[in-house]
Amino acid sequence: AMRALKACVLQGKIRHIGLSEIGVEWLRVAHAVHPIAAIQMEWSLASREIEADIVPVCIELGIGIVAYAPLARLMLALNKDEIAKPEAVIGSGWAAMQFERYLGENLATNLRLMDQVAAMAAAKRCSTAQLSLAWLYHRARQMGVPMIAIPGTSHLDHALDNAAAVSIALTAQEMQVLETVSRRMRGAR
């Protein structure tokens, strides 16, 4: 596949090659055939697995990251009222996904943690979604990897709010609080 994509680049049919949900070994193999411009991976305050191995390889090879589900499928966007009554927002949608973090005690734990995020967002006069995205942009800068988040939205207002997250500054203390929240989250993606 990579040789075919490389041929397409050389013929001018495509400009760059990007991959999605790839492991470190395959990323190295693919990049050896032709430089990879970006990879698309899940990355958020709730999903940080890629920081251990994928992000360092991306930094080494000069590959950007397109972070999908940066709001953990809505969980990182809930406001205080929604956290208090998650059934109104979550309904059967999250449960139907069967992801561990949205089920049973994991969900209860994660929503308690999200209450801290919502409180910090209120203190900063931004939405929980904006704070969660601001953390992700800040974390990518800390790690030295080019990253763009692609939160899904069906409303223009939400898209504009999400875009404004890049201008939210976070202090070292705020980052530490969010790091603690992240480490305490439960359930795999």
Side-chain angles (χ1 to χ4, degrees):
M2 280 303 299
R3 284 189 292 276
L5 289 169
K6 178 180 180 176
C8 289
V9 171
L10 296 174
Q11 295 167 11
K13 293 179 179 179
I14 60 175
R15 289 187 184 160
H16 304 284
I17 299 172
L19 302 172
S20 180
E21 285 295 325
I22 189 166
V24 171
E25 290 179 32
W26 280 109
L27 181 57
R28 288 187 181 282
V29 168
H31 192 77
V33 174
H34 189 275
I36 304 300
I39 60 168
Q40 183 175 335
M41 302 291 287
E42 184 170 349
W43 193 9
S44 72
L45 192 60
S47 295
R48 301 186 55 190
E49 296 86 354
I50 71 168
E51 291 181 23
D53 53 4
I54 294 288
V55 172
V57 170
C58 287
I59 293 166
E60 174 192 335
L61 300 176
I63 299 170
I65 297 174
V66 177
Y68 76 84
L71 297 176
R73 295 170 178 84
L74 185 63
M75 186 173 65
L76 297 175
L78 299 177
N79 63 40
K80 273 194 144 330
D81 293 337
E82 293 166 336
I83 291 166
K85 296 186 179 194
E87 64 280 357
V89 177
I90 298 167
S92 63
W94 283 358
M97 286 192 267
Q98 297 299 307
F99 293 128
E100 290 178 17
R101 85 169 42 117
Y102 309 115
L103 299 174
E105 187 54 37
N106 287 341
L107 178 60
T109 297
N110 294 339
L111 290 176
R112 283 191 298 274
L113 292 166
M114 282 308 303
D115 202 44
Q116 295 176 38
V117 178
M120 181 186 291
K124 291 186 74 64
R125 298 184 201 281
C126 66
S127 71
T128 310
Q130 287 174 316
L131 181 62
S132 298
L133 290 169
W135 172 87
L136 181 57
Y137 282 109
H138 190 88
R139 183 67 181 139
R141 282 191 302 272
Q142 273 184 336
M143 294 189 80
V145 65
M147 185 276 305
I148 186 156
I150 53 169
T153 182
S154 57
H155 301 284
L156 178 60
D157 290 346
H158 292 165
L160 295 172
D161 287 345
N162 291 342
V166 298
S167 63
I168 296 173
L170 296 173
T171 66
Q173 182 179 2
E174 291 166 334
M175 283 296 289
Q176 185 57 48
V177 169
L178 294 171
E179 291 288 324
T180 300
V181 165
S182 177
R183 282 192 304 274
R184 292 181 178 160
M185 290 195 139
R186 297 291 172 248
R189 66 179 186 103

